[in-house]
Amino acid sequence: MSKEKILIVEDDRNISNLVKYNLEKAGYACLASFSGEDALSRIEREKIDLIVLDIMLPEIDGLEVCRRVKGAKATCNVPVVMLTAKGEEVDRIVGLELGADDYIVKPFSPRELVLRVKAILKRASGEGGTEVETLEAGRIKIDVPCHKVTVDGKEAILTPMEFKLLLTLMERAGRVQSRERLLNDVWDISSDVTTRTIDTHIKRLREKLGKSGKAIETVRGIGYRFKKGN
């Protein structure tokens, strides 16, 4: 069985080597890029299973790299872990709104990084998730093992975060989910800070679901609810 391939995008070679050493020790195949431009070129040429991405990069910064990766049909499902010294709340929110799957602030624990990478790759492969094989509501159908969503039989191309968000809402159909609960359960982030991260993802998710997106109801001042029996 081939090893999952991880691209490390980090211009500090000491940090890059540290990340590479620990991920290879955990059994992953690793590639290193030291600029945003080189990273995008590699992503186009090779099949990458996950990207560990710094924000402060020469030529093209990490946020722009993330935006391009998540905005392209061919790579939108590639998980991205932001690894950066910029720990301010606004930077984390921007990264998540661009589609990043996780956010780790330097200085970091190599063990924590490896555990998060394992969890994201496991989730992306459909392992360790809900025991339910399929979920259906109205015209929406989720094939959980295949990580596939269809609306009226036509596939809706969702990012890993959009998929997990929809799955979470549908599993809890009829129950209101606060933004804080969704941040914690979908992004594994606990935050007392009000953000627009959830709103941005809900907006994109509704657009991709077309008319069926109306099943995701806004509960003013609280969060969102998937309409039961839709």
Side-chain angles (χ1 to χ4, degrees):
M1 186 175 179
S2 61
K3 295 181 180 180
E4 289 159 307
K5 190 181 294 184
I6 297 175
L7 177 62
I8 302 160
V9 190
E10 166 64 66
D11 63 331
D12 185 318
R13 291 177 184 265
N14 289 329
I15 295 176
S16 177
N17 289 337
L18 175 65
V19 173
K20 187 172 184 287
Y21 170 78
N22 282 277
L23 288 174
E24 287 182 340
K25 189 178 177 182
Y28 299 106
C30 295
L31 302 172
S33 284
F34 304 102
S35 71
E37 186 175 19
D38 180 66
L40 289 170
S41 177
R42 279 178 174 267
I43 292 164
E44 285 183 4
R45 298 194 315 265
E46 304 185 47
K47 183 185 180 299
I48 303 296
D49 295 297
L50 182 141
I51 303 167
V52 176
L53 179 63
D54 187 23
I55 283 185
M56 302 299 289
L57 294 168
E59 300 166 359
I60 302 173
D61 68 27
L63 292 175
E64 178 61 17
V65 172
C66 184
R67 186 188 69 77
R68 294 191 193 183
V69 168
K70 292 298 186 178
K73 187 176 181 179
T75 57
C76 66
N77 288 320
V78 177
V80 174
V81 177
M82 305 295 282
L83 179 62
T84 176
K86 301 188 80 173
E88 293 83 356
E89 182 74 13
V90 64
D91 297 310
R92 182 174 66 177
I93 292 168
V94 170
L96 293 172
E97 288 183 342
L98 287 172
D101 297 82
D102 207 344
Y103 198 110
I104 300 176
V105 178
K106 301 172 186 174
F108 62 93
S109 159
R111 174 175 166 75
E112 180 187 2
L113 172 63
V114 170
L115 289 174
R116 291 205 190 188
V117 165
K118 282 183 178 179
I120 291 169
L121 286 171
K122 188 175 182 180
R123 189 167 68 215
S125 69
E127 298 177 24
T130 177
E131 294 179 1
V132 176
E133 291 280 318
T134 60
L135 279 177
E136 291 188 58
R139 299 175 177 179
I140 304 171
K141 180 177 180 180
I142 300 181
D143 184 327
V144 180
C146 292
H147 221 71
K148 183 178 180 181
V149 175
T150 54
V151 181
D152 285 334
K154 184 178 180 181
E155 185 173 3
I157 307 299
L158 307 184
T159 67
M161 281 296 121
E162 289 165 348
F163 179 88
K164 191 178 180 187
L165 179 57
L166 178 61
L167 181 61
T168 300
L169 288 169
M170 285 180 63
E171 285 178 327
R172 302 170 185 177
R175 290 178 283 166
V176 179
Q177 304 299 308
S178 69
R179 290 176 176 83
E180 291 74 19
R181 178 73 183 273
L182 289 170
L183 274 175
N184 185 67
D185 294 350
V186 178
W187 281 267
D188 299 320
I189 292 172
S190 296
S191 176
D192 296 325
V193 180
T194 301
T195 77
R196 308 303 292 179
T197 302
I198 298 296
D199 303 313
T200 301
H201 281 76
I202 289 288
K203 181 174 182 287
R204 291 175 182 169
L205 186 54
R206 281 172 172 159
E207 289 172 353
K208 291 184 178 182
L209 295 175
K211 292 181 180 178
S212 294
K214 293 179 181 178
I216 303 174
E217 300 177 316
T218 300
V219 181
R220 190 175 295 277
I222 302 176
Y224 296 94
R225 172 178 54 212
F226 193 90
K227 193 187 300 181
K228 198 169 185 178
N230 175 60

